[in-house]
Amino acid sequence: MKDTKDSWQDSWFDTCAALLTDPQNLRVWSVIVSLFGDLAQRPGDRLSGGALSRIIMPAGIKPEAIRVALHRLRKDGWIDSARQGRASAHFLTDYGRAQSAEVSPRIYTRAAAAPEAWHLLIAEDGAGQTALDDLLLAEEYFSIARNVALGAGPVPEDIDDDLLVFDASARTVPAWVRLRACPPELSEAAHGLLRDLSQADALLPRTPEAISPLQIATLRMLIVHRWRRVVLRQPDLPAAFFPADWPGPACRAAVFDLLDRLPRPALAELEAE
Amino acid sequence: MKDTKDSWQDSWFDTCAALLTDPQNLRVWSVIVSLFGDLAQRPGDRLSGGALSRIIMPAGIKPEAIRVALHRLRKDGWIDSARQGRASAHFLTDYGRAQSAEVSPRIYTRAAAAPEAWHLLIAEDGAGQTALDDLLLAEEYFSIARNVALGAGPVPEDIDDDLLVFDASARTVPAWVRLRACPPELSEAAHGLLRDLSQADALLPRTPEAISPLQIATLRMLIVHRWRRVVLRQPDLPAAFFPADWPGPACRAAVFDLLDRLPRPALAELEAE
């Protein structure tokens, strides 16, 4: 009986892991960032090399690729590593933790922000562009045109003097703006994720005990990673800015339905297996 | 005594007429449009060729130039002419009257419009430009950038579907926008007009009877013509859009002070002289 159970277990898990693996260009360092953000974001949280490999390898990622990615993350100051007995333990640096904490609210909120107030920034053609470009890089602004950006909430205090600033509320949003808010790649990624989440949901064992902590860690990592690539590219904008068939809200609901069925394991459980 | 009085009269009038003559590029057809708009805009209003010459010539415009301008205005459908006994009478066509009536409210209002509501129109870069360009030609919009226009009042019903529309209220207006609302030529024209109006005001005889109907017609024509070239180029915008030293409101007050001292003569008075 054990063999049969194991092979059924492998089968649902492998299928789920394959389903939830991002079909586009899986960057290993970025997957590791998602994993630490999800499971080991608090100061003192550590994951051994062994646990990392066991969580990540089911996504079809080889140990060498994990080693290379860890090397890069260390070089970029995101992650640090320490010997721990005969093994090594990896953890987010203060910088990595700060970066992770900055995007976590957008990733993990169950209700998208729906600000009432909006402001528009307009830059002078040509020379004035720089102030706006700098802001677009640093802050959450939606770029309507090269010289126009839309921001949520009231006008920040320290806005550049060369920008023309309006309090604004959208009346009519034409198709070209909706396409800019939600380009085809983003729409496709969201539709694909919604479909894959629904299939994974159907495959997941109904009894929580049938899913091991490591399996949970893998699946959470894959879900969070794909959701992150949708939600962080999706500007927080009023519904009128999205196409009629925009699956963002449905996607968000499906992500948290599934994450709720896969409650975060304690780090100790992951090391124990 | 008569000679002295006449020569004093000539002197103040000639000086005033010279002062109030637009220093920039006086287009005779445009002066005639100002004159008809000011004195003969109602249906049935007519001015003989003789009266026209007597009103216009003190601005240093020669009879040949008046003839050429009338010819052009007839060709463009603004003015028509009819024989009246041995002379000819000139009058605005229905088209000319409609054109004149369209701008009169802006020229003759004593209080600049101060709308509470504003809307912004944003066009897509490139292809979407055309819809906005068409609107800028036809309506009172202030062009903030190639792709952005600001309009007074609520959003019109029939706005192009391809334009992104915001209800908007300006918070910060940088120098480059104020320079766009009021370019140096406009600022210079307004400052110059204010100075010349003040000098003319000082020269004008205190006793109304000392000014003949024809002199009034000439001076009104010159004042209205210069004011027209300032007020129609000055967008109706909140004060924040103008430079601190913008003399628009002072100019408007001085124009109406002077026009009040020069009440419109009846057309019959102009023909009688």
Side-chain angles (χ1 to χ4, degrees):
Chain A
M1 282 300 281
K2 189 167 184 298
D3 279 355
T4 319
K5 188 187 167 225
D6 272 2
S7 78
W8 174 81
Q9 210 173 46
D10 283 1
S11 150
W12 77 256
F13 175 70
D14 290 349
T15 312
C16 273
L19 265 173
L20 293 172
T21 295
D22 199 326
Q24 292 169 315
N25 188 13
L26 199 62
R27 291 215 181 88
V28 183
W29 65 266
S30 176
V31 173
I32 294 176
V33 163
S34 297
L35 170 62
F36 273 91
D38 189 52
L39 286 185
Q41 200 184 120
R42 291 165 309 174
D45 283 350
R46 292 171 166 226
L47 280 165
S48 70
L52 264 187
S53 297
R54 286 191 293 275
I55 295 168
I56 298 171
M57 283 169 60
I61 297 169
K62 300 212 156 51
E64 305 85 77
I66 300 175
R67 249 198 316 276
V68 169
L70 281 173
H71 181 73
R72 174 173 169 183
L73 285 165
R74 263 195 302 270
K75 218 179 101 208
D76 292 349
W78 272 79
I79 273 187
D80 210 350
S81 307
R83 301 298 308 173
Q84 199 160 29
R86 279 170 45 209
S88 61
H90 310 279
F91 50 89
L92 288 176
T93 60
D94 289 344
Y95 168 78
R97 200 157 39 244
Q99 296 285 316
S100 199
E102 201 182 310
V103 291
S104 285
R106 293 195 67 199
I107 299 173
Y108 288 99
T109 181
R110 287 164 189 263
E116 292 288 308
W118 296 89
H119 61 277
L120 273 172
L121 305 178
I122 304 178
E124 187 176 12
D125 274 333
Q129 216 66 42
T130 323
L132 197 62
D133 290 346
D134 291 352
L135 209 68
L136 283 169
L137 277 179
E139 313 276 344
E140 291 299 335
Y141 276 94
F142 170 55
S143 164
I144 289 175
R146 267 171 20 88
N147 56 339
V148 185
L150 179 65
V155 184
E157 294 281 325
D158 57 345
I159 217 78
D160 191 291
D161 281 348
D162 279 345
L163 293 171
L164 172 59
V165 184
F166 287 93
D167 292 310
S169 85
R171 285 285 297 273
T172 311
V173 182
W176 64 267
V177 177
R178 293 199 298 270
L179 207 62
R180 210 170 156 109
C182 179
E185 318 81 75
L186 178 56
S187 190
E188 209 173 283
H191 280 290
L193 176 55
L194 187 57
R195 187 191 56 231
D196 294 341
L197 287 169
S198 145
Q199 290 187 23
D201 186 68
L203 286 167
L204 219 63
R206 297 294 114 179
T207 46
E209 312 80 53
I211 318 178
S212 77
L214 277 176
Q215 287 174 333
I216 289 182
T218 303
L219 298 177
R220 284 188 66 95
M221 171 188 77
L222 293 172
I223 295 167
V224 168
H225 186 66
R226 270 184 75 179
W227 173 233
R228 208 177 126 213
R229 288 172 53 85
V230 169
V231 74
L232 296 187
R233 279 151 74 199
Q234 164 199 342
D236 280 334
L237 286 173
F241 280 79
F242 291 99
D245 70 341
W246 169 237
C251 233
R252 187 186 300 271
V255 161
F256 288 102
D257 278 355
L258 210 52
L259 289 182
D260 286 345
R261 291 184 60 193
L262 299 164
R264 249 185 212 102
L267 295 182
E269 290 181 279
L270 300 174
E271 302 296 346
E273 275 193 58
Chain B
M1 281 302 281
K2 191 167 183 299
D3 278 351
T4 318
K5 188 186 167 225
D6 271 4
S7 79
W8 174 79
Q9 211 174 44
D10 282 3
S11 151
W12 78 257
F13 175 69
D14 291 350
T15 311
C16 272
L19 264 175
L20 293 172
T21 296
D22 199 325
Q24 291 170 316
N25 189 14
L26 197 64
R27 292 211 182 91
V28 184
W29 65 266
S30 176
V31 173
I32 295 177
V33 163
S34 297
L35 169 61
F36 273 92
D38 188 50
L39 285 189
Q41 201 186 119
R42 291 166 309 174
D45 283 351
R46 291 170 168 226
L47 281 166
S48 69
L52 266 185
S53 297
R54 285 191 293 274
I55 296 169
I56 298 173
M57 282 169 60
I61 297 171
K62 300 212 158 49
E64 307 83 78
I66 301 176
R67 250 197 317 275
V68 168
L70 282 173
H71 182 70
R72 174 173 169 184
L73 286 165
R74 263 195 301 269
K75 218 180 100 207
D76 291 351
W78 272 79
I79 273 190
D80 210 348
S81 307
R83 298 299 307 174
Q84 201 160 25
R86 278 171 45 211
S88 61
H90 309 281
F91 50 90
L92 287 176
T93 60
D94 289 345
Y95 168 77
R97 201 157 37 244
Q99 297 285 316
S100 198
E102 201 181 311
V103 292
S104 284
R106 295 195 67 199
I107 298 173
Y108 288 99
T109 182
R110 283 163 191 265
E116 291 289 306
W118 296 89
H119 62 276
L120 273 172
L121 304 178
I122 303 177
E124 187 176 11
D125 274 334
Q129 217 66 43
T130 323
L132 198 61
D133 291 345
D134 290 352
L135 210 67
L136 284 170
L137 277 180
E139 312 275 347
E140 290 299 337
Y141 277 93
F142 170 56
S143 166
I144 290 174
R146 270 174 15 90
N147 57 340
V148 185
L150 179 65
V155 184
E157 293 280 323
D158 57 346
I159 216 81
D160 192 289
D161 282 348
D162 279 344
L163 294 170
L164 173 59
V165 184
F166 287 93
D167 291 312
S169 83
R171 285 287 296 273
T172 312
V173 181
W176 64 268
V177 177
R178 291 199 299 270
L179 207 61
R180 212 172 156 107
C182 180
E185 316 84 75
L186 178 57
S187 191
E188 210 172 283
H191 280 289
L193 176 56
L194 187 57
R195 186 191 56 232
D196 294 340
L197 287 170
S198 145
Q199 291 187 23
D201 186 67
L203 287 168
L204 218 62
R206 297 291 116 183
T207 44
E209 310 80 54
I211 316 177
S212 76
L214 277 175
Q215 287 173 335
I216 290 182
T218 302
L219 297 177
R220 285 188 64 97
M221 172 188 78
L222 292 172
I223 295 167
V224 168
H225 186 65
R226 271 185 73 181
W227 173 234
R228 208 177 125 212
R229 289 170 54 83
V230 169
V231 73
L232 297 186
R233 278 149 77 198
Q234 161 199 343
D236 279 334
L237 287 173
F241 281 78
F242 291 99
D245 70 343
W246 169 235
C251 234
R252 187 187 300 273
V255 162
F256 289 102
D257 278 354
L258 211 50
L259 290 183
D260 286 346
R261 292 185 58 194
L262 300 164
R264 249 186 213 102
L267 295 183
E269 292 181 278
L270 301 174
E271 302 296 346
E273 274 191 62

